[in-house]
Amino acid sequence: MSKRCAIIGVGQTHHAAVRKDLSISGVVREAALRALEDAGMDWRDIEAVVVGKAPDIIEGVMMPELFLAEALGCVGKPMFRVHTAGSVGGSTALVAAHLVQAGIHKRVLTVAFEKQSESDTTWAITPNIPFQPPLVAGAGGYFAPIIRSYIERSKAPADIGIRVAVKDRKNALRNPYAHLHLEDVSMEMVENSPMLWDPIRYLECCPSSDGACAMVLSDEKGGDAAPKPPAWVHASAMRSEPTMFPGRNQINPRAGRECAAALYKQAGIDDPRKDFDVAEIYIPFSWYEPMWMENLGFAEENQGWKMTEEGATAFDGDMPVNCSGGVLSSNPIGA
Amino acid sequence: MSEAVKKIVTPISIEYTITPGAAPTKFLRGIKEGRLLGQRCPKCSKVYLPPRGSCTVCAVPTVEEVEVSDQGTVTTFCVVNIPFYGQVQEIPYVCAAVVLDGADLPCFGVVQEIAVEEVRMGLRVQAVWVAPEERGYTLENIKYFKPSGQADAPFESYREHL
Ligand SMILES: [Zn+2]
């Protein structure tokens, strides 16, 4: 039986296209200091640090965790780097939580970051190998054909993606840390934005951000004694599947379905739409909201778009999704 | 705001030397001759192109060699309308997932010799190769796909490749 894990402090940077005022060390430190302050702690209280980011080549710094040890107050303490590409923000927190749940550490600081202004991401993630045709589509070119397949298969109305884009940008207006604050965002504005990777419009894409986020995790004793009400980790799960195999369902991947099912079983959730109050989900392009609603069991296959259309996923809906503004409003890849 | 952090820009590059292994080596030798050589899984009968030497689903080696057609079906696609680093095509252009006849995995390629607004799911296409003397050990030997003129494939025929 694993031990309980509490989240007793959270912090994030103000996100922006370019944080000119901060180095990478400065970015991670801003988030970490805010999390420590939230937890009523300082560096001395932390036993171990778990840091995550996407591929090193994005900023061109090999193993950046080594030079971040001082900025994160963990000289002489255990430090772990997590790297699972675009999912690394979530995986980093999972690894940190497992250290507490396994009883190895009592108080762990976990930080994830990306400083995309110091990189050319498209170049960094596109090696030219002889088994693939040369770079043909850029970043959104990977997702756009899958979205087209979803629209064709589900017969969703064409404006669903636009609705998600407007909703998440309006949510971001309530979040002072969000990168994008589009005060006058509207259906017309999104619809009239350039079609970059048809069917994906400019304003249906995530931005490219500098930023970091951090959490202080604690064992049960520290959670009960925390100055603010803690959030308890009830369940965690992780699954993966190969990128290419015959019959792979790219619209509704099996790994996602099985991961959600395992998570709900651990947490005792029977009906996710009824049992969850709110969800923050990785939605890099607007159409992924209805697709992930299906993949994560909130809606039946080909029905997820109805939740968007009915306003169920809106801030005041019965299943609010990405109240922070989500990835569509702030996107440091590794965080 | 505190004083701006000083940044410098330095060029970096990474050069790979690929040692492809038995199955991809056959594929690369084939493609230099204008042939598409895949491998069939002995358990599920699916044909991998390019072959990796094993079936990801069944976890068994693939041995049987299968020559795949250079005609196929557009399963899905996007119209690229954004300039980016390293781009070789003029925008707008169509990047499509194409399942070649006889293969069970889609490959990606550009579709040309048709107006972008006329490209559709189910469109039948044919590979256009670079001249034999210019071919190397690379998929770049296929310049692009063009419509083959055949009737569109029905949705059900490529549904499992989406
Ligand atoms: Zn097989």
Side-chain angles (χ1 to χ4, degrees), chain A residues 37-250:
Chain A
E37 189 190 352
D38 195 43
M41 288 188 171
D42 69 31
W43 301 107
R44 276 169 302 214
D45 299 311
I46 298 298
E47 290 183 3
V49 177
V50 183
V51 59
K53 69 166 255 72
D56 289 353
I57 197 166
I58 290 187
E59 288 94 349
V61 181
M62 180 75 173
M63 296 174 75
E65 64 274 16
L66 300 183
F67 90 88
L68 294 176
E70 285 164 315
L72 289 171
C74 55
V75 172
K77 294 180 183 177
M79 183 191 222
F80 304 87
R81 158 79 184 281
V82 179
H83 172 23
T84 59
S87 64
V88 70
S91 318
T92 305
L94 287 184
V95 170
H98 292 167
L99 289 174
V100 175
Q101 289 169 325
I104 295 167
H105 295 297
K106 291 189 177 65
R107 289 168 307 279
V108 176
L109 171 69
T110 176
V111 187
F113 74 92
E114 208 70 64
K115 197 150 186 274
Q116 285 185 239
S117 67
E118 298 194 15
S119 78
D120 183 326
T121 307
T122 299
W123 171 81
I125 63 176
T126 314
N128 190 7
I129 60 172
F131 314 109
Q132 293 168 357
L135 176 71
V136 283
Y142 175 77
F143 295 97
I146 302 172
I147 290 171
R148 180 181 302 277
S149 302
Y150 173 73
I151 296 170
E152 174 67 25
R153 204 180 73 175
S154 68
K155 306 291 174 205
D159 67 353
I160 296 298
I162 301 171
R163 286 173 187 266
V164 175
V166 172
K167 170 190 71 93
D168 282 5
R169 269 50 173 277
K170 286 206 160 143
N171 287 348
L173 295 175
R174 302 172 190 252
N175 177 2
Y177 298 101
H179 172 178
L180 294 184
H181 286 124
L182 305 175
E183 297 288 344
D184 50 351
V185 69
S186 66
M187 295 286 285
E188 296 70 41
M189 185 189 196
V190 176
E191 189 170 4
N192 294 329
S193 66
M195 194 61 103
L196 300 189
W197 294 279
D198 192 343
I200 303 177
R201 293 173 181 82
Y202 175 67
L203 283 176
E204 293 177 281
C205 300
C206 54
S208 182
S209 313
D210 285 358
C213 59
M215 297 197 294
V216 178
L217 307 181
S218 164
D219 64 353
E220 182 162 7
K221 203 168 145 211
D224 289 336
K228 292 184 184 173
W232 297 97
V233 177
H234 294 289
S236 63
M238 194 173 172
R239 295 290 185 278
S240 61
E241 70 181 43
T243 320
M244 291 286 267
F245 60 86
R248 183 182 185 210
N249 186 340
Q250 295 208 75

Side-chain angles (χ1 to χ4, degrees), chain A residues 20 22-23 57 117 123 130-131 133-138 144-145 148-149 195-198 242 244-248 250, chain B residues 1 4-5 7 14 18 24 48 56-57 76-79 81 84-85 93 95 104-106 108 137 139-140 160 162:
Chain A
K20 288 198 185 82
L22 293 178
S23 62
I57 197 166
S117 67
W123 171 81
F131 314 109
L135 176 71
V136 283
R148 180 181 302 277
S149 302
M195 194 61 103
L196 300 189
W197 294 279
D198 192 343
M244 291 286 267
F245 60 86
R248 183 182 185 210
Q250 295 208 75
Chain B
M1 198 186 262
V5 172
K7 285 206 304 190
I14 298 182
I18 292 174
Y48 281 78
T56 309
V57 179
T76 184
F77 65 96
C78 73
V79 183
N81 210 6
F84 56 87
Y85 176 83
Y93 62 94
C95 178
D104 289 294
L105 275 178
F108 274 87
Y137 297 102
L139 257 179
E140 289 181 42
E160 74 161 289
L162 296 177

Side-chain angles (χ1 to χ4, degrees), chain B residues 41 43-44 55 57-58:
Chain B
C41 171
K43 256 179 119 174
C44 67
C55 176
V57 179
C58 306

Side-chain angles (χ1 to χ4, degrees), chain A residues 272-293:
Chain A
R273 182 157 175 189
K274 203 167 109 271
D275 295 345
F276 280 109
D277 295 324
V278 66
E280 287 283 328
I281 299 170
Y282 179 72
I283 294 169
F285 298 95
S286 60
W287 276 97
Y288 271 82
E289 176 174 292
M291 288 162 68
W292 288 160
M293 287 295 97

